[in-house]
Amino acid sequence: MKWNPTCVLFFLLLAATLLQCHSPEGYSSNKPPNVVIIMADDQGWGDLSFNENPIVSTPNIDSLARNGAIFDHFYVEAVCSPTRASLLTGRYAVRAGVYSTSEGGERIDLDERTFAEVFQESGYKTAIFGKWHNGSQAPYHPTSRGFTEFYGYCSGHWGSYFDAELEHNGELVSSEGYLTDVLTDRALGFIRKNQEHPFLLYLPLNTPHSPMQVPDRWFQKFDTLEVPSHRHTPRENPEHTRAALAMAENIDWNVGRVTRLLDSLDLADQTLVIYTSDNGPNGWRWNGGMAGIKGHVDEGGVRVPLLMYWPNKIQAGNRISQICSVMDLYPTLISLAGLKDALPPKLDGMDVSPWVSTDSSTLDTQRHIVSYWKGKISVRSDQYRLDNENHLFDMGKDPA
């Protein structure tokens, strides 16, 4: 039997169509990228070894920095709930209805559309494992705001990090082990389960927020170490600092567990990994000489690390010097995932995706980022910070 070229082409096209239709959830091999967002709680800019803290070692996070993009001047809100609201909505927290961390002031307005909702409606599997802190009951609960699965706690503070009582999709559950490890275990299970589908994983970890509890295996290194001296040394609690840095090394170990799993499942090239924190350090400790800590609208209270890692998509070793805000992550994620048609019309953040693949020095934003908390305001431009007492600082010449 002879086949003419037209028949051969027809059957090849038919076979390709059938293969695509029978792939999981209808996605082809050109499926959208996975997204993993890891957010530490109360980790300062200076709590990582790639930022030259002299006594902490965070090799897995350092690897993300070395092989991805570093945003040198990334700004969040001064405390937990507002930062998380800005991340989820792409807006200043007060515009999204969040002005406090409790008594209803932490809840995101219902007319805001979270980026998780955009991803969920675009066919992504979505999950959050960790601290939510933007509303405890429906319709403010994470499962009402774009996440299919939630495992963790909705409040801003948890009593114990060992064998904790938590929530799984509205049901109380008991965990076994150290909470940061438990949350990461859940994240790993989610990745394995959904490795054939595009997924959005939000992993807002619980540390180094108090209580300052950490397994002995992490604390032993710091038990007798001298903490580095700095401008605020007389106000520092060394024991608190040692515990925070031990927690930072535990976080790093768990970050490594996530990235190694992505490698082992051949998902690394398909996955955008973001690492950041929700505010400045929860105590006076070494932070690169910056003024202020958590709850302050000074540089040290609102400047935190931001790393983006995506092999072959994001330029390795790229350092972005322009100021950037947590509000920018919403439009940037939407852009990198190719979902621009789903972008809400009114956002305060800007799409900075071009910065991770080009020379950001050629991009002039001329923008201002406002920091607000409990009646105190400061404003940051690329060159200056106007603080709450109307002092103007040239941050290039006087970053401290």
Side-chain angles (χ1 to χ4, degrees):
M1 179 179 179
K2 292 185 177 180
W3 292 79
N4 64 49
T6 302
C7 290
V8 173
L9 178 60
F10 170 78
F11 281 106
L12 286 174
L13 290 172
L14 178 62
T17 302
L18 290 172
L19 284 171
Q20 180 170 337
C21 290
H22 286 85
S23 64
E25 295 297 302
Y27 286 100
S28 71
S29 58
N30 294 320
K31 67 179 183 179
N34 308 309
V35 177
V36 176
I37 303 171
I38 304 173
M39 176 176 279
D41 193 356
D42 289 358
Q43 184 176 65
W45 178 92
D47 293 340
L48 301 166
S49 51
F50 85 87
N51 280 331
E52 301 184 359
N53 185 303
I55 65 172
V56 75
S57 177
T58 51
N60 295 297
I61 298 171
D62 294 358
S63 178
L64 296 180
R66 184 172 57 254
N67 296 298
I70 303 172
F71 287 74
D72 277 330
H73 296 95
F74 178 68
Y75 297 95
V76 294
E77 304 284 355
V79 291
C80 307
S81 295
T83 290
R84 294 157 201 270
S86 290
L87 167 67
L88 288 160
T89 66
R91 311 241 292 158
Y92 281 110
V94 289
R95 290 194 202 271
V98 174
Y99 57 89
S100 179
T101 58
S102 60
E103 298 180 344
E106 77 281 13
R107 298 184 299 198
I108 297 171
D109 285 344
L110 297 179
D111 59 355
E112 296 290 341
R113 187 176 184 223
T114 72
F115 75 82
E117 292 176 88
V118 174
F119 277 88
Q120 186 181 57
E121 293 164 8
S122 300
Y124 275 70
K125 305 295 184 180
T126 60
I128 169 176
F129 304 109
K131 172 179 169 177
W132 172 244
H133 206 184
N134 283 128
S136 299
Q137 298 87 26
Y140 302 99
H141 192 270
T143 55
S144 301
R145 307 310 293 261
F147 294 100
T148 302
E149 184 175 7
F150 168 63
Y151 181 93
Y153 58 99
C154 287
S155 66
H157 183 87
W158 213 238
S160 176
Y161 291 160
F162 292 95
D163 301 336
E165 296 294 314
L166 301 170
E167 176 195 337
H168 183 215
N169 286 359
E171 301 292 330
L172 292 179
V173 294
S174 298
S175 68
E176 294 183 9
Y178 186 58
L179 183 52
T180 312
D181 303 343
V182 169
L183 297 174
T184 306
D185 288 341
R186 285 280 171 164
L188 299 180
F190 174 80
I191 293 172
R192 292 189 185 97
K193 180 180 177 181
N194 296 288
Q195 59 184 288
E196 301 295 335
H197 313 276
F199 60 78
L200 167 67
L201 168 61
Y202 180 29
L203 184 58
L205 297 172
N206 56 299
T207 52
H209 194 291
S210 60
M212 306 308 289
Q213 300 173 342
V214 63
D216 289 343
R217 62 173 288 202
W218 302 106
F219 187 75
Q220 286 169 353
K221 164 187 169 179
F222 296 94
D223 192 20
T224 57
L225 279 182
E226 287 291 324
V227 298
S229 59
H230 56 97
R231 63 186 289 183
H232 300 296
T233 293
R235 306 173 71 174
E236 181 172 13
N237 179 339
E239 201 73 0
H240 184 281
T241 295
R242 293 187 182 101
L245 297 182
M247 289 170 156
E249 294 202 354
N250 169 262
I251 291 172
D252 182 78
W253 177 70
N254 280 297
V255 169
R257 295 172 68 201
V258 173
T259 56
R260 283 191 296 273
L261 179 62
L262 293 173
D263 286 336
S264 69
L265 297 177
D266 292 326
L267 293 176
D269 287 350
Q270 305 170 37
T271 306
L272 167 64
V273 178
I274 291 176
Y275 184 84
T276 189
S277 179
D278 64 346
N279 47 245
N282 56 342
W284 298 101
R285 55 181 181 264
W286 186 89
N287 198 28
M290 289 184 278
I293 59 174
K294 174 183 178 179
H296 294 208
V297 294
D298 296 309
E299 191 82 353
V302 294
R303 181 184 172 194
V304 299
L306 173 66
L307 309 174
M308 288 189 183
Y309 170 72
W310 188 2
N312 303 315
K313 297 290 185 179
I314 289 180
Q315 183 178 336
N318 192 6
R319 299 192 77 108
I320 290 88
S321 61
Q322 280 88 346
I323 58 173
C324 181
S325 167
V326 65
M327 301 178 294
D328 299 338
L329 291 181
Y330 188 134
T332 302
L333 289 172
I334 298 299
S335 176
L336 290 172
L339 305 175
K340 282 188 175 182
D341 291 343
L343 196 65
K346 293 183 179 180
L347 296 179
D348 294 315
M350 60 178 283
D351 176 10
V352 299
S353 59
W355 292 1
V356 299
S357 57
T358 62
D359 181 3
S360 65
S361 65
T362 64
L363 302 173
D364 186 9
T365 58
Q366 294 297 310
R367 71 189 302 200
H368 297 85
I369 296 173
V370 178
S371 297
Y372 168 83
W373 179 240
K374 290 189 173 180
K376 294 184 177 180
I377 297 176
S378 69
V379 184
R380 184 68 154 86
S381 70
D382 274 329
Q383 184 173 1
Y384 299 105
R385 179 173 291 283
L386 179 67
D387 78 359
N388 186 64
E389 298 177 346
N390 288 326
H391 299 135
L392 185 66
F393 297 91
D394 186 325
M395 301 304 290
K397 296 179 179 179
D398 184 18

